[in-house]
Amino acid sequence: MDGMKKLIENIIGFAIAVILIMNVYYLDNIMADDSNSIYSDDNELSSEAEESVNIKIKNNTGYMGFKIHIEYETDKIDVISVASGELTSEGIFQDNLGQNNDVFDVVWSGTEDISRDGTMFMLIVKAKNGYSGKTGLTVTFSQEDTFNEKWED
């Protein structure tokens, strides 16, 4: 009987230890602010001159491919072109600018993770009809099309 009691105590002790370790891991991940943040420069347009707008990433946890969706107001700005940035200078870089009026996607893939912060790509934009103000770009990414070198979303 003492052997069975000892076995049950060991199992309960082990279960409690596993629960405590899982709680510490869970709390550590909740408290860490390591999520990727993709954003554009906050450019102020004041004339019909072309201006470069950088699309950047910070808190980069690593990616080997992405699909970024850009929306803009066609009555305020024209997006003239898209060019790769310092983080996407190697690999396959494509966009579908011009296929739709006010939206387009930028797709990139490489052969290994990029885990630095910096410029993913640049847009050349131009104010229209005397517009003066912010670019008003909406930048989002497609979770299922954004992955690291382990092919994790």
Side-chain angles (χ1 to χ4, degrees), residues 79-136:
V79 178
I80 309 299
S81 65
V82 182
S84 61
E86 64 183 280
L87 301 180
T88 57
S89 60
E90 296 179 9
I92 300 169
F93 185 87
Q94 297 177 325
D95 67 79
N96 65 355
L97 178 65
Q99 289 186 358
N100 294 307
N101 219 7
D102 58 352
V103 299
F104 64 94
D105 296 319
V106 176
V107 179
W108 174 85
S109 65
T111 58
E112 58 188 35
D113 270 352
I114 302 293
S115 54
R116 307 183 310 276
D117 293 350
T119 301
M120 299 173 81
F121 56 93
M122 292 133 336
L123 308 176
I124 302 299
V125 302
K126 182 177 176 181
K128 287 175 74 174
N129 305 322
Y131 173 73
S132 178
K134 304 285 183 195
T135 59

